[in-house]
Amino acid sequence: MATEHERIAPTDHPAFDDFVATIAALRAPDGCPWDQAQTHQSIAHNMIEEAYEAVDAIESNDPAHLREELGDVLLQVVLQSQIAADEGAFDIDDVCADVNAKMIRRHPHVFGEARADNASEVLDLWDQVKMAERAAGAEAAPSTDATPAEEGAASATKGAAADNVGTAAPKGLLDGVPTSFPALMQAQKISRKAAAAGFEWDALDDVWDKVREEVHELQEAYAEAPKAANGKVDAGVAEGDADAAERAVANVKDEFGDVLFALVNVGRRMGVDAENALRSTCGKFRRRWSFMEGAAWAQGVSLEEMGPDGREALWRQAKELERPERSAPGR
């Protein structure tokens, strides 16, 4: 049976080829000294910066700006690929071939016989393919049917160590989640990978129970920790065992992180991306705060000079202005 992609003819991209040639010329012996001096590590931070700037352009709904920022992202991809080519590691064609093969492999509902009727099912299928890829990559490594508890037992650990002497350990499930990701994005991807491996709650209500459990533990940890007069945890104000005070403060931070992680799992089960949701809320707060500052300035005062009631009134005005207009009856 012919698939849809077989009816899509490849097209030439001369502008892309010209760009690749330009970057190669910059890295050539008679090229640019700055470009010649760069390494993967020296420009790694640029990849993150350019990606965030592209996201800002998307969220600003500015096509012209987005076009520019996507070019900057592409620059990072091509330049990193050229550095690798100069080292004899790989080139931009290898990068394109690899990602093309991966996209075909991870879309069996388009290029194969699998079926996915909506975006949620596509994500589930994507995770299944990734798990199969990981299993295939680790099939040479010894496996065990032991439960996590059994694997954690000393005897099992020693036995596995003896059996695997001289054998490279398979890549960990979470090794592919970059630690440079924003924490919420890390949490989303970590929990999604763990869920794909079967480490998952049966229902959303169970995740909410976990949230309540973590909130209770946070409240207990906060109650036991030393606090300054302003209510912030502070080991420096404790009397007595300084180490115990440090541990108590660290426990509050740890429990707070557990609450956030549990909420990320709620969002994942709901189909909500935590990073995008919080970015949206930050944007909403910025808009409302900007309105409040402008409204206060129009009254000849600053927000700091207004009383709590005045600030609250402006906040409510800002919220009201963001509400979608309600249709009139009969319309």
Side-chain angles (χ1 to χ4, degrees), residues 252-300:
V252 173
K253 297 176 182 178
D254 187 56
E255 295 296 346
F256 186 80
D258 289 348
V259 171
L260 291 178
F261 196 87
L263 283 172
V264 166
N265 276 286
V266 170
R268 178 179 56 78
R269 289 295 297 257
M270 290 180 171
V272 175
D273 182 271
E275 181 75 17
N276 290 338
L278 187 56
R279 284 179 62 86
S280 177
T281 294
C282 288
K284 178 171 61 179
F285 191 93
R286 283 172 177 265
R287 291 191 304 272
R288 292 177 180 176
W289 189 262
S290 179
F291 168 83
M292 292 167 63
E293 287 179 326
W297 179 82
Q299 297 177 29

Side-chain angles (χ1 to χ4, degrees), residues 121-185:
E121 291 180 0
V122 169
L123 287 177
D124 291 341
L125 190 58
W126 179 281
D127 286 334
Q128 292 170 19
V129 174
K130 288 182 67 176
M131 289 293 294
E133 290 172 351
R134 180 173 177 271
E139 62 183 4
S143 61
T144 175
D145 294 327
T147 65
E150 292 169 338
E151 290 177 353
S155 59
T157 301
K158 291 179 180 178
D163 292 341
N164 293 334
V165 170
T167 303
K171 185 177 180 181
L173 176 67
L174 305 182
D175 290 350
V177 181
T179 56
S180 59
F181 274 1
L184 278 181
M185 188 182 296

